[in-house]
Amino acid sequence: MGYEFPIRVYWEDTDAGGIVFYANYLKFFERARTEWLRSLGVGQQRLREQTGGMFVVTDAQLRYHRPARLDDELIVTAALQSSGRASLTILQQALLKPEQMTVQTPTLLTEGTIRIGWVDATTLRPARIPSSLLEQLTP
């Protein structure tokens, strides 16, 4: 499953019916990716200062299976699917924590594939991911 990040659904995350607004899953995924990087010793601000580069989302594909609702506790995952010289592909899921249901395994709500590219922070032009950074990110 990869890295796991807990998130609770608040009013600000939902529509008038108390269901998570579909675009907010992108925010949940962003938070989990950021914390995944942090858990590997990669702080994005420090990375930008030290290398002059940064990650930007270049592609996002999501599939919605079931809705999350107000007050739900979610587990949002992030796992490296593939890496290239200038981009990473991250698999992500939003799962409903099992304690909230009668089942023992998390229930898949939304899944996505997010591609992040490495760019020069000043010009925003694509660049190669520093090899030392790739070593930190790949098992």
Side-chain angles (χ1 to χ4, degrees), residues 1 30 43 48 54 56 60 71 79 92 101 107 114 117 121 124 135-137:
M1 200 181 293
E30 175 73 27
R48 182 178 177 168
M54 64 184 193
V56 295
D71 289 328
Q92 296 199 255
M101 304 183 69
T107 302
I114 312 296
L124 298 181
E135 289 172 14
Q136 277 183 273
L137 300 178

Side-chain angles (χ1 to χ4, degrees), residues 8 12 14 33-34 38 43-44 50-51 57 66 70 74 79 87-88 94 97 100 107 110 118 120 122 128:
R8 180 177 296 276
E12 67 186 23
T14 66
R33 278 194 316 279
T34 298
R38 228 180 238 133
Q44 293 190 66
Q50 291 176 348
T51 67
V57 172
R66 297 181 62 174
L70 179 65
L74 309 181
S87 68
L88 305 173
K97 283 181 101 175
Q100 300 173 118
T107 302
T110 302
W118 184 256
D120 178 283
T122 303
R128 284 188 176 206

Side-chain angles (χ1 to χ4, degrees):
M1 200 181 293
Y3 180 79
E4 296 183 359
F5 182 69
I7 290 180
R8 180 177 296 276
V9 176
Y10 297 107
W11 274 115
E12 67 186 23
D13 302 319
T14 66
D15 61 17
I19 293 175
V20 170
F21 181 65
Y22 72 95
N24 285 334
Y25 289 97
L26 289 168
K27 292 179 181 182
F28 298 163
F29 285 179
E30 175 73 27
R31 291 176 199 159
R33 278 194 316 279
T34 298
E35 294 304 325
W36 166 68
L37 289 171
R38 228 180 238 133
S39 78
L40 297 172
V42 180
Q44 293 190 66
Q45 183 64 30
R46 184 171 46 97
L47 189 62
R48 182 178 177 168
E49 292 166 358
Q50 291 176 348
T51 67
M54 64 184 193
F55 285 113
V56 295
V57 172
T58 60
D59 185 63
Q61 297 182 17
L62 276 67
R63 182 171 182 90
Y64 302 95
H65 297 278
R66 297 181 62 174
R69 293 171 167 44
L70 179 65
D71 289 328
D72 280 351
E73 291 182 68
L74 309 181
I75 301 166
V76 181
T77 67
L80 182 65
Q81 179 184 37
S82 64
S83 62
R85 291 184 285 188
S87 68
L88 305 173
T89 302
I90 314 297
L91 295 178
Q92 296 199 255
Q93 295 181 327
L95 306 149
L96 183 63
K97 283 181 101 175
E99 302 88 67
Q100 300 173 118
M101 304 183 69
T102 56
V103 296
Q104 295 301 312
T105 58
T107 302
L108 178 62
L109 303 175
T110 302
E111 60 187 331
T113 304
I114 312 296
R115 186 169 180 245
I116 55 176
W118 184 256
V119 298
D120 178 283
T122 303
T123 65
L124 298 181
R125 292 182 188 254
R128 284 188 176 206
I129 301 171
S131 58
S132 59
L133 176 57
L134 275 176
E135 289 172 14
Q136 277 183 273
L137 300 178
T138 54

